[in-house]
Amino acid sequence: MNNLRIGLVSVSDRASSGVYQDKGIPALAAWLERTLTIPFQIETRLIPDEQSIIEQTLCELVDEMTCHLVLTTGGTGPARRDVTPDATLAIADRIMPGFGEQMRQISLHFVPTAILSRQVGVIRKQALILNLPGQPKSIQETLEGVKDESGKVIVPGIFASVPYCVQLLDGPYIETDPTVVAAFRPKSAIRETKS
């Protein structure tokens, strides 16, 4: 079985030029280590807010590195340099609007400025590409959802739907630690796992 391949892209002029250290990729990598219970490989890219470079990077990760999932962080707001969603849409085969809607829904529980986010989810060939926020705390909230004091999920995080989406794109069967985020699939799509 092919191992899951995940591309992590941090889009930041200042981090890519060394002004400050990138926090997005380390936060994403740590979250994936904690969450995924299957083997996976990560390809990372730290790039500036340049639409052509973002497009090239996404195409490389999907077309050449054959990633099943690509997560971007940064560059999703209304500022003129924020072009990650524009680049993502430019290379997309299909748009998955539910991901952007859900990300904003989650973030609105924490900040009113969530409506300024332009994050999108798209499919290119075999890959699901998702634009995540730039801050590690917001990344975790978006992936895991809104939970109450006891840890019960009030608003589902977007990662609950990622394993089934990758499965529908003929990618590997992704399993997660349900204490972080429970992967949801219809009963007909659930496979028995060897313990």
Side-chain angles (χ1 to χ4, degrees):
M1 182 73 184
N2 276 345
N3 271 6
L4 174 65
R5 286 181 298 282
I6 304 174
L8 302 181
V9 182
S10 186
V11 182
S12 167
D13 284 335
R14 289 177 294 177
S16 65
S17 63
V19 175
Y20 60 72
Q21 200 162 11
D22 172 58
K23 291 186 172 74
I25 289 174
L28 274 170
W31 189 86
L32 290 165
E33 286 288 341
R34 210 171 65 242
T35 306
L36 298 178
T37 58
I38 59 161
F40 65 97
Q41 298 158 281
I42 290 179
E43 285 287 333
T44 62
R45 302 287 186 273
L46 177 55
I47 57 174
D49 289 281
E50 294 289 347
Q51 184 164 342
S52 60
I53 296 173
I54 301 167
E55 287 179 26
Q56 287 168 356
T57 302
L58 295 176
C59 290
E60 178 211 357
L61 288 169
V62 173
D63 305 356
E64 295 167 38
M65 309 308 294
T66 61
C67 287
H68 303 101
L69 175 64
V70 177
L71 303 175
T72 73
T73 171
T76 58
R80 291 169 77 173
R81 296 287 297 163
D82 290 338
V83 292
T84 304
D86 311 271
T88 304
L89 291 169
I91 58 91
D93 293 332
R94 289 180 287 169
I95 300 171
M96 300 291 287
F99 282 103
E101 292 162 10
Q102 189 67 1
M103 286 190 265
R104 284 179 281 279
Q105 184 65 41
I106 293 163
S107 297
L108 277 168
H109 280 262
F110 302 100
V111 289
T113 50
I115 56 172
L116 302 179
S117 163
R118 300 186 309 116
Q119 294 156 274
V120 296
V122 306
I123 289 170
R124 178 181 173 86
K125 297 182 178 174
Q126 78 287 347
L128 173 64
I129 304 173
L130 300 173
N131 299 156
L132 297 174
Q135 297 304 316
K137 182 177 177 290
S138 305
I139 291 171
Q140 182 175 342
E141 290 164 355
T142 301
L143 294 169
E144 293 181 26
V146 183
K147 300 176 181 179
D148 66 15
E149 294 77 43
S150 68
K152 183 177 180 289
V153 175
I154 304 165
V155 181
I158 62 162
F159 208 86
S161 302
V162 168
Y164 185 48
C165 185
V166 170
Q167 187 177 342
L168 290 171
L169 295 171
D170 298 323
Y173 191 84
I174 301 174
E175 294 180 80
T176 60
D177 177 345
T179 63
V180 183
V181 64
F184 181 84
R185 298 176 164 86
K187 284 192 173 69
S188 61
I190 296 172
R191 292 183 197 161
E192 288 301 316
T193 53
K194 301 175 224 39
S195 45

